Amino acid sequence: MKKLYSIILSLSIFGCSGQKKPMDEIEFTAKYLEVVSKRYPQVDYETKESLVLKATFGDNQEITHYLDNAYRAYKIEPSELDEVLETFIRAKADLYNEREETIDISRIVPIIKPIEYFDDLKLLGKDVENYQVPELIWEKYNEDLIIIYAEDRENNINYFTQDKFDVLNIDKDTLLQLAVNNLNNLLPKIEKVGENGNFGLIAGGDYEASLILMTSLWTKDNFDVDGDIVIAVPNRDIVFITGSNDLSSIEKLKLTVEESYETGNYNLTKNFYKWNGKKFIRM
């Protein structure tokens, strides 16, 4: 969150500061394993490779954990290792809960992911025995982005599968509007920061990219920019906003987007998108 504030509040110069050299992937995996094993002693963990752990629990249930995002978060703020580990490890509690929990329809939310998301899952699981890509509920948004539906829980985001969704008896055609309405109700106050036609949005740190789905938000009354509204979403917690005629700002912003994408957490895309009145399309 600190990095999010520092980037957005410097929109006028679109700059990023350098990062401290973090532990490498092997060291981070070992540290993560040490801490998570103490937190959940009832779970057996096995390191499959750097940033990949297999967890076995209950009645021989198995879950593969990918630590890529935790490691990215750590590299952003190496001095906050304990906080990063606490955040990501705490989210595992629901996964090890053997009770069959009903999905809370009022907490179904839309998550923006890159269109390569499922290909990336296949690649991450290629060395894991009997790995199968989960059959999640999703739809295409534009040329580069998709929407995956999930349940917002206290400790984590629960990506439910097709069989769990089927029992809810929700019309798929109404799912997007339901999820956007839920998101609007669940989010803290959406804050706009910036000035002089260059803005950013802050909304808690998990769902900023999903704000592109709130069609009523994207008006010139809300964003006084030069030309059409243009955005960049390099990560799920960052939305940059400028105008299509502000070519100087767009050029400067490209450098920040590039670095945010390469060093940030939950990366999405380096591309820029223009609002066409209904959705954002690639420029």
Side-chain angles (χ1 to χ4, degrees):
M1 183 62 69
K2 289 182 179 179
K3 187 184 183 210
L4 172 61
Y5 273 92
S6 65
I7 292 175
I8 292 180
L9 292 177
S10 63
L11 282 173
S12 60
I13 60 174
F14 295 119
C16 291
S17 59
Q19 305 297 318
K20 295 180 180 180
K21 183 179 180 180
M23 292 187 289
D24 63 27
E25 295 180 357
I26 295 176
E27 294 169 327
F28 181 82
T29 302
K31 183 63 177 179
Y32 188 101
L33 178 60
E34 174 190 342
V35 176
V36 76
S37 296
K38 292 178 181 178
R39 177 65 61 87
Y40 304 113
Q42 78 279 18
V43 180
D44 292 325
Y45 294 97
E46 177 185 356
T47 301
K48 304 300 292 185
E49 58 182 279
S50 296
L51 303 182
V52 180
L53 297 179
K54 184 178 78 172
T56 304
F57 59 99
D59 187 17
N60 291 322
Q61 297 183 65
E62 293 184 355
I63 294 177
T64 301
H65 295 307
Y66 300 101
L67 312 185
D68 303 66
N69 287 318
Y71 185 58
R72 280 177 174 266
Y74 161 67
K75 288 197 296 182
I76 292 171
E77 292 288 348
S79 63
E80 298 186 3
L81 172 63
D82 292 341
E83 180 180 336
V84 170
L85 292 176
E86 172 64 22
T87 297
F88 282 86
I89 290 174
R90 185 176 62 244
K92 302 294 183 289
D94 288 342
L95 297 177
Y96 305 143
N97 191 336
E98 296 184 54
R99 293 184 294 110
E100 188 68 21
E101 296 186 356
T102 302
I103 295 172
D104 185 345
I105 295 177
S106 69
R107 300 190 74 87
I108 293 177
V109 292
I111 311 294
I112 297 296
K113 294 284 189 182
I115 203 165
E116 307 88 1
Y117 178 69
F118 290 106
D119 290 334
D120 291 342
L121 288 183
K122 291 179 183 178
L123 183 62
L124 286 171
K126 65 181 177 62
D127 295 323
V128 178
E129 185 178 357
N130 299 323
Y131 176 77
Q132 293 182 342
V133 176
E135 188 181 0
L136 304 180
I137 309 302
W138 68 282
E139 62 182 272
K140 185 177 179 180
Y141 176 71
N142 64 15
E143 306 95 317
D144 305 310
L145 302 170
I146 62 174
I147 305 166
I148 295 183
Y149 296 97
E151 179 190 14
D152 177 88
R153 290 184 174 178
E154 181 179 357
N155 293 319
N156 70 340
I157 297 173
N158 174 40
Y159 293 91
F160 50 82
T161 53
Q162 182 69 52
D163 59 330
K164 298 289 182 65
F165 176 72
D166 289 341
V167 303
L168 301 177
N169 294 318
I170 299 175
D171 187 340
K172 185 69 177 295
D173 293 337
T174 66
L175 182 56
L176 177 58
Q177 191 58 56
L178 168 71
V180 171
N181 290 342
N182 288 344
L183 182 65
N184 192 43
N185 293 331
L186 293 171
L187 281 179
K189 179 182 178 182
I190 301 172
E191 298 180 60
K192 179 178 71 172
V193 297
E195 58 186 359
N196 300 324
N198 298 303
F199 305 100
L201 292 175
I202 298 172
D206 289 325
Y207 298 115
E208 275 78 359
S210 296
L211 297 177
I212 68 175
L213 303 173
M214 293 184 176
T215 55
S216 61
L217 179 65
W218 301 103
T219 68
K220 294 297 287 288
D221 288 337
N222 289 331
F223 303 103
D224 184 16
V225 297
D226 185 4
D228 295 322
I229 296 173
V230 169
I231 65 162
V233 282
N235 315 94
R236 82 174 187 187
D237 59 350
I238 298 176
V239 180
F240 293 115
I241 304 152
T242 189
S244 59
N245 294 335
D246 193 347
L247 301 182
S248 176
S249 290
I250 291 175
E251 284 302 311
K252 292 178 182 178
L253 183 55
K254 285 179 180 179
L255 298 176
T256 299
V257 169
E258 176 81 21
E259 184 168 348
S260 295
Y261 179 86
E262 295 297 338
T263 64
N265 206 15
Y266 298 99
N267 53 335
L268 294 177
T269 176
K270 302 176 186 178
N271 293 324
F272 286 71
Y273 303 91
K274 183 168 65 174
W275 180 246
N276 69 1
K278 295 182 179 180
K279 66 193 309 184
F280 285 98
I281 58 174
R282 191 198 299 168
M283 292 181 62

